[in-house]
């Protein structure tokens, strides 16, 4: 039986200064996981509108050899206006009431869920009740051995303590960045704890196998449930933009773990891939073979 690596959630176009590019964390994750495990094993699940932009989405997915399951719904296909600050750091204006806010749960999705070996989801796609409910149905239908990665994505006002806490309980690997950790610290009353104490507490309280913490130019960490800590410096590169860099980290890290690589080795590869993506425009460049070794 075929096992799937699934990116589940928002499908959208990042409208960048140089033009629009296919984006959305689930597609980015699936694309980069597929570069390690083969595109035939990866799939992006979301929803598209009944519009011309949906057709462009499908063409772009095909160009990237990315499998997809994205039913059409009577809402516009998602877009995000991306403005780049100094250093290529993006800010986002995320359109509401779009297709990925209304992802249905179909029989085909349920079948994929039962045969998933990994699924990555986030908080952003849960901003609307329809997608939130159906993402959780998908997760409930996965097997006990499925890797469930929550890569939280705190954008604008589109999150709440309830959504975050439920998501932490639904995953076994949590990925979070240092800015998000500050928000979680404040929101969950962890103010008296330092970074390491917060991460250790979250691993324990939510029964996580791993917590991945990225800190931009200050490196990244992986904390595991058996006490292992992995740290990697962030390579210094000439940044084009950072769009999709975090998703490339998650996808490549997951791909390496599924290939049986040790945590430290998977972490090292994920850092290299993420740094490379920062040197490229857009979220889905082809990763050089030497970075996959």
């Amino acid at each position: 039986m075929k096992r799937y690596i699934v990116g589940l959630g928002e499908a959208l176009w990042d409208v960048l200064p140089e033009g629009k590019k296919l984006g959305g964390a689930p597609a980015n994750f699936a694309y980069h996981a597929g570069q390690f495990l083969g595109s035939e094993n990866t799939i992006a699940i979301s929803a598209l509108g009944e519009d011309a932009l949906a057709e462009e989405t499908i063409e772009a997915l095909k160009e990237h050899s990315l499998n997809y399951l994205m039913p059409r719904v009577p809402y516009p296909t998602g877009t995000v206006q991306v403005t780049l600050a100094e250093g290529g750091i993006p800010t986002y204006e995320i359109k509401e009431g779009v297709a990925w806010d209304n992802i249905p749960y179909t029989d085909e999705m349920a079948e994929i869920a039962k045969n998933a070996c990994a699924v990555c989801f986030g908080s952003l796609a849960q901003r609307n009740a329809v997608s939130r409910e159906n993402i959780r149905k998908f997760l409930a239908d996965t097997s006990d051995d499925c890797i469930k990665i929550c890569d939280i994505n705190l954008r604008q006002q589109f999150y709440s303590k309830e959504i975050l806490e439920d998501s932490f309980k639904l995953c076994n690997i949590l990925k979070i960045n240092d800015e998000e950790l500050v928000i979680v610290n404040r929101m969950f009353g962890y103010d008296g704890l330092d970074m390491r104490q917060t991460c250790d507490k979250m691993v324990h309280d939510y029964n996580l196998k791993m917590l991945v913490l990225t800190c931009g130019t200050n490196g990244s960490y992986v904390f595991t449930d058996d006490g292992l800590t992995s740290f990697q410096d962030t390579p210094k590169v000439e940044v084009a933009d950072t769009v999709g860099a975090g998703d490339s980290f998650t996808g490549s890290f997951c791909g390496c773990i599924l290939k049986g690589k040790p945590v430290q080795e998977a972490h090292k590869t994920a850092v290299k891939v993420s740094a490379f993506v920062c040197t490229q425009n857009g979220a889905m460049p082809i990763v050089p073979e030497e970075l996959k070794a």
Side-chain angles (χ1 to χ4, degrees), residues 8 31 34 62 87 89 92 118 120 122 141 160 167 186 197-198 228 237-238 240 247 267-268 274:
L8 175 62
Y31 173 78
K62 289 178 178 176
I89 306 300
Y92 304 91
C120 183
D141 281 343
S160 67
S167 297
R186 184 172 62 248
Q197 290 171 328
T198 298
L228 172 71
V237 297
E238 186 173 336
D247 303 324
H267 185 192
K268 186 175 183 180
S274 179

Side-chain angles (χ1 to χ4, degrees), residues 10-16 19-21 23-24 53 77-83 90-95 98 100 124 127 155-156:
E10 63 271 19
L12 51 84
W13 286 85
D14 291 316
V15 183
L16 296 150
K20 68 179 188 293
K21 293 183 181 292
L53 201 54
T77 299
T79 57
V80 176
Q81 187 70 43
V82 183
T83 304
T91 56
Y92 304 91
E93 180 190 348
I94 305 169
K95 304 301 181 184
V98 294
W100 60 262
L124 179 58
R127 67 181 181 176
R155 301 287 188 230
Q156 297 172 211

Side-chain angles (χ1 to χ4, degrees), residues 37-257:
L37 297 161
S39 60
E40 69 277 5
N41 298 312
T42 54
I43 187 166
I45 296 180
S46 187
L48 297 175
E50 298 168 338
D51 51 23
L53 201 54
E55 300 298 333
E56 291 188 52
T57 305
I58 291 169
E59 288 303 312
L61 291 167
K62 289 178 178 176
E63 286 175 13
H64 287 93
S65 300
L66 185 55
N67 297 313
Y68 62 91
L69 180 55
M70 300 185 182
R72 300 297 186 93
V73 294
Y75 299 88
T77 299
T79 57
V80 176
Q81 187 70 43
V82 183
T83 304
L84 299 179
E86 186 177 351
I89 306 300
T91 56
Y92 304 91
E93 180 190 348
I94 305 169
K95 304 301 181 184
E96 298 185 64
V98 294
W100 60 262
D101 284 318
N102 297 277
I103 303 170
Y105 194 52
T106 66
D107 291 343
E108 191 173 359
M109 289 181 191
E111 193 63 27
I112 290 172
K114 292 171 187 173
N115 294 293
C117 59
V119 56
C120 183
F121 68 102
S123 53
L124 179 58
Q126 297 182 67
R127 67 181 181 176
N128 186 57
V130 174
S131 289
R132 181 165 64 248
E133 179 180 345
N134 289 328
I135 286 169
R136 294 178 185 187
K137 285 180 181 177
F138 186 100
L139 294 169
D141 281 343
T142 59
S143 60
D144 290 340
D145 67 346
C146 180
I147 296 173
K148 292 181 276 289
I149 305 168
C150 177
D151 189 349
I152 71 171
N153 198 1
L154 306 186
R155 301 287 188 230
Q156 297 172 211
Q157 74 277 16
F158 302 129
Y159 60 91
S160 67
K161 181 178 180 181
E162 180 183 5
I163 287 174
L164 293 181
E165 187 163 36
D166 288 346
S167 297
F168 299 160
K169 293 175 181 176
L170 290 167
C171 71
N172 45 42
I173 297 179
L174 175 63
K175 179 171 172 286
I176 188 169
N177 67 37
D178 52 347
E179 294 179 353
E180 292 165 341
L181 191 68
V182 170
I183 294 171
V184 168
N185 247 355
R186 184 172 62 248
M187 187 177 286
F188 285 78
Y190 298 157
D191 291 330
L193 305 181
D194 63 23
M195 179 196 75
R196 176 59 191 261
Q197 290 171 328
T198 298
C199 292
D200 285 343
K201 180 173 177 58
M202 294 182 74
V203 168
H204 176 268
D205 288 356
Y206 297 106
N207 197 29
L208 302 174
K209 293 180 180 178
M210 301 180 209
L211 186 150
V212 180
L213 173 66
T214 58
C215 302
T217 58
N218 295 317
S220 57
Y221 300 81
V222 181
F223 304 103
T224 71
D225 60 353
D226 58 4
L228 172 71
T229 300
S230 174
F231 173 78
Q232 289 288 327
D233 285 313
T234 301
K236 290 180 172 61
V237 297
E238 186 173 336
V239 175
D241 68 58
T242 60
V243 177
D247 303 324
S248 71
F249 184 113
T250 312
S252 53
F253 182 79
C254 178
C256 289
I257 292 294

